[in-house]
């Protein structure tokens, strides 16, 4: 049996790498499986990979906006749906798409079997709606692969080791299912099929001449995903980095190469100074008075809030930002702490990301000069060794993205 303890041992099981050499994990997003014709198309693509000599594990998201629809139903019933039942409900979407795909593969003359996350051995903690994968017990998948089957795994879900209840992994969680399986099975690569051709230098809807990147590092992709690039769930990139899974983000609707996400040593990298400009239209900013940082951030962490920018403005004032989807949790925590606080929702964030920043001075200066040149004021600035992020007014976000893309000539390879 292949058991991989992800938190404890960051290695894959000893026999997994040898077994996985001809194995490929292929994940398809919701828009790639939006109707039954598209599911048949995905079935053909999985079969083609099989015919090319691979053993194949497919991970499908729920069809189209099924998950949104299920969430809508839950909120129609209840203001605060009970977390266990919420996960029972949401996990259904992926069962539908994966079962349908297994039927389509069978009709193409190949054997297939679909599994729920639980059946596939995806074991998680018990944080409903945001569960973390703790372990993958891949015995059942390996057995099915040994029987020459194409294996389909319902993404975005697992089972809690403690409560034995169904859990979900957070929005976009099928990416993490796919990466976790690739790691546990020692797959040669994890392919993420989506409705865009890869990772771009900026959102092409804002910057029409944005360019597809051939490759980026895990670090850059982590910053891009954390800064609003929606193509991959943040946690899946972390997982891929921690377990050395090469990721390939590419289009479901073409055969073209997409974007590889690899480590810094990988030969596919082009070593650009700046890789891209990511943005979030709205990223709430909180201002809290008279609390110590340790208490505040511990409480936010306990509530599973992903805090981003943090500024200690003065001894009695802290400013931080957190994603819009964590707003309810933030408000709860701040309310319970009984402190004086305020929140701004009229700001978004523009982030310039590139591994080359580490060794090239002047990037920050040019960023600020560019924003100043178009009359955009940054309200809060935060940096990492490979990122400069500016909170600007939401309505100025598109202009700021376009200006930075232009100033750093990101359209040119
Ligand atoms: N269906 C889930 C969602 O919409 C998971 C996923 O697509 O990755 O978030
Ligand atoms: Mg997604």
């Amino acid at each position: 049996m292949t058991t991989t303890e992800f938190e404890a041992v960051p290695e894959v099981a000893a026999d997994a790498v040898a077994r996985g050499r001809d194995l490929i994990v292929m994940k398809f997003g919701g828009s790639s499986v939006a109707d039954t014709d598209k599911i048949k198309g995905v079935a053909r693509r999985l079969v083609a990979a099989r015919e090319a000599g691979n053993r194949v594990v497919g991970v499908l998201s729920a069809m189209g906006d099924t998950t949104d629809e299920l969430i809508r139903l839950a909120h129609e019933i209840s203001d605060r749906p009970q977390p266990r039942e919420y996960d029972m409900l949401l996990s259904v979407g992926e069962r539908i798409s994966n079962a349908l795909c297994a039927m389509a593969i069978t009709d193409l003359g190949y054997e297939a079997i679909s599994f729920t996350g639980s059946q596939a051995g995806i074991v998680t903690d018990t944080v409903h709606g945001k569960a973390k994968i703790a372990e993958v017990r891949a015995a059942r998948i390996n057995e099915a692969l040994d029987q020459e089957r194409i294996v389909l795994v319902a993404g975005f879900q697992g089972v809690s080791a403690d409560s034995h209840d169904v859990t979900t992994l957070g929005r976009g969680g099928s990416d993490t299912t796919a990466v976790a399986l690739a790691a546990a099975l020692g797959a040669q690569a994890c392919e993420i099929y989506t409705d865009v051709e890869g990772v771009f230098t900026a959102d092409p809807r804002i910057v029409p001449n944005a360019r597809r990147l051939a490759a980026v590092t895990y670090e850059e992709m982590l910053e891009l995903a954390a800064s609003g690039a929606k193509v991959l769930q943040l946690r899946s990139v972390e997982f891929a980095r921690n377990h050395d899974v090469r990721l390939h983000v590419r289009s479901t609707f073409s055969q073209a190469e997409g974007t590889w996400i690899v480590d810094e040593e990988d030969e596919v990298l082009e070593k650009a100074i700046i890789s891209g400009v990511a943005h979030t239209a709205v990223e709430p900013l909180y201002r809290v008075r008279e609390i110590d940082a340790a208490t505040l951030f511990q409480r936010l962490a306990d509530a599973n809030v992903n805090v981003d920018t943090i500024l200690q403005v003065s001894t009695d004032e802290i400013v931080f930002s957190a994603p819009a989807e964590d707003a309810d949790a933030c408000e709860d925590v701040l309310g319970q702490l009984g402190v004086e606080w305020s929140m701004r929702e009229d700001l978004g964030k523009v982030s310039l990301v590139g591994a080359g920043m580490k060794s090239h001075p002047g990037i920050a200066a040019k960023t600020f000069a560019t924003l100043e040149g178009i009359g955009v004021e940054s309200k809060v600035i935060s940096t990492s060794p490979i990122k400069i992020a500016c909170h600007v007014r939401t309505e100025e976000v598109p202009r700021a993205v376009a200006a930075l893309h232009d100033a750093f000539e990101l359209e040119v390879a």
Side-chain angles (χ1 to χ4, degrees), residues 213-231:
L213 293 156
V216 291
T217 64
Y218 294 122
E219 265 64 34
E220 288 169 316
M221 195 63 230
L222 278 172
E223 293 282 16
L224 289 168
S227 306
K230 289 188 188 64
V231 67

Side-chain angles (χ1 to χ4, degrees), residues 290-333:
E290 266 140 48
I291 184 158
D292 66 290
T295 307
L296 173 62
F297 293 110
Q298 185 57 54
R299 291 288 290 271
L300 290 166
D302 292 344
N304 290 300
V305 171
N306 278 318
V307 173
D308 186 73
T309 305
I310 299 177
L311 289 178
Q312 178 92 47
V313 182
S314 65
T315 43
D316 67 352
E317 185 166 311
I318 295 171
V319 167
F320 70 91
S321 73
E325 67 260 26
D326 289 347
D328 283 349
C330 283
E331 286 172 39
D332 286 354
V333 167

Side-chain angles (χ1 to χ4, degrees), residues 329-343:
C330 283
E331 286 172 39
D332 286 354
V333 167
L334 295 170
Q336 284 156 15
L337 284 168
V339 287
E340 191 188 315
W341 64 278
S342 62
M343 173 205 202

Side-chain angles (χ1 to χ4, degrees), residues 27 29-30 61 172 175 230-233:
K27 181 261 169 179
S61 290
D175 295 337
K230 289 188 188 64
V231 67
L232 283 172
Q233 195 197 32

Side-chain angles (χ1 to χ4, degrees), residues 28-47 60-64 66 93-105 108 152 252-253:
F28 293 85
S31 53
S32 303
V33 296
D35 56 40
T36 46
D37 278 338
K38 290 202 168 105
I39 291 179
K40 286 181 186 171
V42 165
R44 283 192 292 275
R45 199 134 189 179
L46 291 164
V47 163
L60 274 54
S61 290
M63 294 171 71
T66 303
E94 271 71 9
R95 281 178 76 155
I96 296 172
S97 51
N98 283 272
L100 288 171
C101 189
M103 293 174 196
I105 292 171
L108 292 171
L152 291 155
T252 307
F253 308 111

Side-chain angles (χ1 to χ4, degrees), residues 178-408:
V179 175
L181 287 173
L185 300 166
Q188 47 166 318
C190 181
E191 302 205 300
I192 307 282
Y193 287 86
T194 177
D195 53 4
V196 293
E197 275 150 31
V199 181
F200 280 71
T201 49
D203 185 338
R205 283 168 301 185
I206 295 182
V207 184
N209 64 353
R211 183 172 54 87
R212 177 183 59 82
L213 293 156
V216 291
T217 64
Y218 294 122
E219 265 64 34
E220 288 169 316
M221 195 63 230
L222 278 172
E223 293 282 16
L224 289 168
S227 306
K230 289 188 188 64
V231 67
L232 283 172
Q233 195 197 32
L234 179 59
R235 193 174 284 161
S236 74
V237 185
E238 252 160 26
F239 215 114
R241 178 191 58 183
N242 294 347
H243 300 279
D244 275 324
V245 176
R246 292 181 95 225
L247 284 175
H248 187 191
V249 178
R250 59 192 303 191
S251 169
T252 307
F253 308 111
S254 90
Q255 298 293 331
E257 281 273 304
T259 301
W260 284 91
I261 295 130
V262 293
D263 71 30
E264 279 175 41
E265 315 294 301
D266 208 285
E267 75 276 5
V268 297
L269 279 172
E270 25 177 319
K271 305 239 192 289
I273 298 173
I274 304 298
S275 287
V277 189
H279 73 276
T280 39
V282 179
E283 182 161 301
L285 198 68
Y286 302 82
R287 191 173 287 275
V288 191
R289 292 180 57 84
E290 266 140 48
I291 184 158
D292 66 290
T295 307
L296 173 62
F297 293 110
Q298 185 57 54
R299 291 288 290 271
L300 290 166
D302 292 344
N304 290 300
V305 171
N306 278 318
V307 173
D308 186 73
T309 305
I310 299 177
L311 289 178
Q312 178 92 47
V313 182
S314 65
T315 43
D316 67 352
E317 185 166 311
I318 295 171
V319 167
F320 70 91
S321 73
E325 67 260 26
D326 289 347
D328 283 349
C330 283
E331 286 172 39
D332 286 354
V333 167
L334 295 170
Q336 284 156 15
L337 284 168
V339 287
E340 191 188 315
W341 64 278
S342 62
M343 173 205 202
R344 276 187 80 160
E345 281 180 292
D346 60 338
L347 301 178
K349 196 176 66 180
V350 181
S351 309
L352 192 72
V353 174
M357 261 182 220
K358 281 188 263 190
S359 45
H360 285 77
I363 306 290
K366 188 166 171 177
T367 299
F368 304 140
T370 302
L371 294 180
E372 212 180 284
I374 57 162
V376 168
E377 190 194 338
S378 330
K379 309 290 179 192
V380 177
I381 295 155
S382 55
T383 63
S384 84
I386 65 165
K387 179 193 73 179
I388 299 168
C390 301
H391 269 81
V392 303
R393 297 181 70 85
T394 293
E395 66 266 24
E396 293 171 342
V397 165
R399 267 196 317 132
V401 171
L404 289 171
H405 195 271
D406 217 41
F408 288 94

